[in-house]
Short mmCIF file of all heavy atoms in Angstrom, two decimals:
data_model
loop_
_atom_site.label_atom_id
_atom_site.label_comp_id
_atom_site.label_asym_id
_atom_site.label_seq_id
_atom_site.Cartn_x
_atom_site.Cartn_y
_atom_site.Cartn_z
N GLY S 295 79.55 -1.76 92.91
CA GLY S 295 78.81 -2.68 92.06
C GLY S 295 77.52 -2.13 91.53
O GLY S 295 76.91 -2.73 90.65
N ARG S 296 77.08 -0.98 92.04
CA ARG S 296 75.83 -0.38 91.61
C ARG S 296 76.02 0.99 90.98
O ARG S 296 75.06 1.54 90.43
CB ARG S 296 74.86 -0.24 92.78
CG ARG S 296 74.48 -1.56 93.45
CD ARG S 296 73.36 -1.35 94.46
NE ARG S 296 73.78 -0.54 95.60
CZ ARG S 296 73.14 0.54 96.03
NH1 ARG S 296 72.04 0.95 95.41
NH2 ARG S 296 73.58 1.20 97.09
N SER S 297 77.22 1.53 91.07
CA SER S 297 77.45 2.90 90.63
C SER S 297 78.69 3.00 89.77
O SER S 297 79.64 2.22 89.91
CB SER S 297 77.60 3.84 91.82
OG SER S 297 76.43 3.83 92.62
N THR S 298 78.68 3.98 88.88
CA THR S 298 79.83 4.28 88.05
C THR S 298 80.00 5.79 87.99
O THR S 298 79.06 6.51 87.67
CB THR S 298 79.66 3.74 86.62
OG1 THR S 298 79.45 2.33 86.66
CG2 THR S 298 80.91 4.04 85.79
N ILE S 299 81.19 6.25 88.30
CA ILE S 299 81.48 7.67 88.25
C ILE S 299 82.47 7.93 87.12
O ILE S 299 83.41 7.16 86.91
CB ILE S 299 82.01 8.20 89.60
CG1 ILE S 299 82.08 9.73 89.59
CG2 ILE S 299 83.38 7.60 89.93
CD1 ILE S 299 82.32 10.32 90.97
N PHE S 300 82.25 8.99 86.39
CA PHE S 300 83.15 9.34 85.31
C PHE S 300 83.17 10.85 85.12
O PHE S 300 82.19 11.53 85.40
CB PHE S 300 82.78 8.62 84.00
CG PHE S 300 81.34 8.76 83.60
CD1 PHE S 300 80.95 9.68 82.65
CD2 PHE S 300 80.37 7.95 84.17
CE1 PHE S 300 79.63 9.80 82.26
CE2 PHE S 300 79.03 8.07 83.80
CZ PHE S 300 78.67 9.00 82.84
N MET S 301 84.29 11.35 84.63
CA MET S 301 84.49 12.78 84.49
C MET S 301 84.61 13.17 83.03
O MET S 301 85.30 12.51 82.25
CB MET S 301 85.74 13.23 85.26
CG MET S 301 86.05 14.72 85.15
SD MET S 301 87.60 15.18 85.95
CE MET S 301 87.20 14.85 87.68
N ASP S 302 83.95 14.24 82.67
CA ASP S 302 84.14 14.91 81.40
C ASP S 302 85.02 16.11 81.68
O ASP S 302 84.54 17.17 82.07
CB ASP S 302 82.81 15.33 80.79
CG ASP S 302 82.95 15.92 79.40
OD1 ASP S 302 84.04 16.42 79.06
OD2 ASP S 302 81.97 15.90 78.64
N ASN S 303 86.32 15.93 81.52
CA ASN S 303 87.26 16.96 81.91
C ASN S 303 87.09 18.25 81.11
O ASN S 303 87.22 19.35 81.66
CB ASN S 303 88.69 16.45 81.77
CG ASN S 303 89.70 17.30 82.51
OD1 ASN S 303 89.52 17.63 83.68
ND2 ASN S 303 90.79 17.65 81.83
N ALA S 304 86.78 18.12 79.82
CA ALA S 304 86.62 19.30 78.98
C ALA S 304 85.47 20.17 79.45
O ALA S 304 85.52 21.40 79.35
CB ALA S 304 86.43 18.90 77.52
N LYS S 305 84.40 19.54 79.94
CA LYS S 305 83.23 20.27 80.42
C LYS S 305 83.26 20.52 81.91
O LYS S 305 82.32 21.10 82.46
CB LYS S 305 81.96 19.53 80.04
CG LYS S 305 81.73 19.42 78.54
CD LYS S 305 80.41 18.72 78.25
CE LYS S 305 80.16 18.65 76.75
NZ LYS S 305 78.89 17.98 76.44
N ARG S 306 84.33 20.09 82.56
CA ARG S 306 84.50 20.27 84.00
C ARG S 306 83.29 19.72 84.75
O ARG S 306 82.76 20.34 85.67
CB ARG S 306 84.75 21.74 84.33
CG ARG S 306 85.95 22.32 83.57
CD ARG S 306 86.41 23.66 84.11
NE ARG S 306 85.40 24.69 84.01
CZ ARG S 306 85.59 25.96 84.32
NH1 ARG S 306 86.78 26.35 84.78
NH2 ARG S 306 84.61 26.84 84.21
N THR S 307 82.88 18.52 84.36
CA THR S 307 81.67 17.90 84.88
C THR S 307 81.95 16.46 85.29
O THR S 307 82.68 15.75 84.61
CB THR S 307 80.55 17.93 83.84
OG1 THR S 307 80.22 19.29 83.53
CG2 THR S 307 79.30 17.23 84.35
N VAL S 308 81.35 16.04 86.39
CA VAL S 308 81.41 14.66 86.82
C VAL S 308 79.99 14.09 86.82
O VAL S 308 79.04 14.79 87.16
CB VAL S 308 82.06 14.52 88.22
CG1 VAL S 308 81.20 15.17 89.29
CG2 VAL S 308 82.33 13.06 88.54
N HIS S 309 79.88 12.84 86.41
CA HIS S 309 78.59 12.15 86.38
C HIS S 309 78.67 10.90 87.26
O HIS S 309 79.65 10.16 87.21
CB HIS S 309 78.21 11.73 84.96
CG HIS S 309 78.19 12.86 83.98
ND1 HIS S 309 77.13 13.74 83.89
CD2 HIS S 309 79.09 13.25 83.04
CE1 HIS S 309 77.38 14.63 82.94
NE2 HIS S 309 78.56 14.35 82.41
N LEU S 310 77.64 10.69 88.03
CA LEU S 310 77.52 9.50 88.85
C LEU S 310 76.28 8.74 88.41
O LEU S 310 75.16 9.19 88.66
CB LEU S 310 77.44 9.84 90.33
CG LEU S 310 77.21 8.66 91.28
CD1 LEU S 310 78.38 7.70 91.24
CD2 LEU S 310 76.96 9.16 92.70
N GLN S 311 76.48 7.62 87.74
CA GLN S 311 75.38 6.76 87.33
C GLN S 311 75.10 5.77 88.44
O GLN S 311 75.98 4.99 88.82
CB GLN S 311 75.73 6.02 86.04
CG GLN S 311 74.66 5.05 85.56
CD GLN S 311 73.41 5.75 85.08
OE1 GLN S 311 73.49 6.81 84.47
NE2 GLN S 311 72.26 5.15 85.36
N MET S 312 73.89 5.79 88.97
CA MET S 312 73.50 4.92 90.05
C MET S 312 72.37 4.01 89.58
O MET S 312 71.34 4.49 89.10
CB MET S 312 73.07 5.71 91.28
CG MET S 312 74.15 6.66 91.80
SD MET S 312 73.66 7.52 93.33
CE MET S 312 73.65 6.16 94.49
N ASP S 313 72.56 2.72 89.73
CA ASP S 313 71.58 1.72 89.34
C ASP S 313 71.17 0.88 90.55
O ASP S 313 71.82 0.91 91.59
CB ASP S 313 72.15 0.80 88.25
CG ASP S 313 72.60 1.55 87.02
OD1 ASP S 313 71.84 2.42 86.54
OD2 ASP S 313 73.72 1.28 86.52
N SER S 314 70.09 0.14 90.38
CA SER S 314 69.58 -0.73 91.45
C SER S 314 69.46 0.02 92.76
O SER S 314 69.88 -0.45 93.82
CB SER S 314 70.50 -1.95 91.61
OG SER S 314 70.58 -2.69 90.41
N LEU S 315 68.87 1.19 92.69
CA LEU S 315 68.73 2.03 93.88
C LEU S 315 67.80 1.40 94.90
O LEU S 315 66.82 0.72 94.55
CB LEU S 315 68.24 3.41 93.49
CG LEU S 315 69.29 4.29 92.79
CD1 LEU S 315 68.64 5.49 92.13
CD2 LEU S 315 70.33 4.75 93.80
N LYS S 316 68.11 1.63 96.16
CA LYS S 316 67.37 1.07 97.27
C LYS S 316 66.83 2.20 98.14
O LYS S 316 67.35 3.31 98.13
CB LYS S 316 68.27 0.17 98.12
CG LYS S 316 69.04 -0.88 97.34
CD LYS S 316 70.06 -1.57 98.23
CE LYS S 316 70.88 -2.57 97.45
NZ LYS S 316 71.91 -3.22 98.31
N PRO S 317 65.78 1.93 98.92
CA PRO S 317 65.26 2.96 99.82
C PRO S 317 66.33 3.53 100.76
O PRO S 317 66.27 4.71 101.10
CB PRO S 317 64.17 2.24 100.59
CG PRO S 317 63.68 1.19 99.64
CD PRO S 317 64.92 0.73 98.91
N GLU S 318 67.28 2.71 101.16
CA GLU S 318 68.33 3.19 102.05
C GLU S 318 69.29 4.15 101.37
O GLU S 318 70.13 4.77 102.04
CB GLU S 318 69.11 2.02 102.67
CG GLU S 318 69.59 1.00 101.66
CD GLU S 318 68.66 -0.20 101.58
OE1 GLU S 318 67.43 -0.01 101.56
OE2 GLU S 318 69.17 -1.34 101.53
N ASP S 319 69.19 4.31 100.05
CA ASP S 319 69.97 5.31 99.35
C ASP S 319 69.35 6.70 99.46
O ASP S 319 69.94 7.68 99.00
CB ASP S 319 70.12 4.94 97.87
CG ASP S 319 70.92 3.68 97.66
OD1 ASP S 319 71.96 3.51 98.33
OD2 ASP S 319 70.53 2.85 96.80
N THR S 320 68.17 6.78 100.03
CA THR S 320 67.46 8.04 100.15
C THR S 320 68.16 8.97 101.14
O THR S 320 68.33 8.64 102.31
CB THR S 320 66.02 7.80 100.61
OG1 THR S 320 65.31 7.03 99.63
CG2 THR S 320 65.29 9.12 100.83
N THR S 321 68.56 10.12 100.64
CA THR S 321 69.18 11.15 101.47
C THR S 321 69.59 12.30 100.56
O THR S 321 69.28 12.32 99.38
CB THR S 321 70.40 10.60 102.24
OG1 THR S 321 70.83 11.57 103.19
CG2 THR S 321 71.54 10.26 101.30
#
């Protein structure tokens, strides 16, 4: 509910969009 992952296959790249980040996400 807070993240979206998507791949750009042509560029061999994955992106992870993270929203509403919390202190417990720290690592």
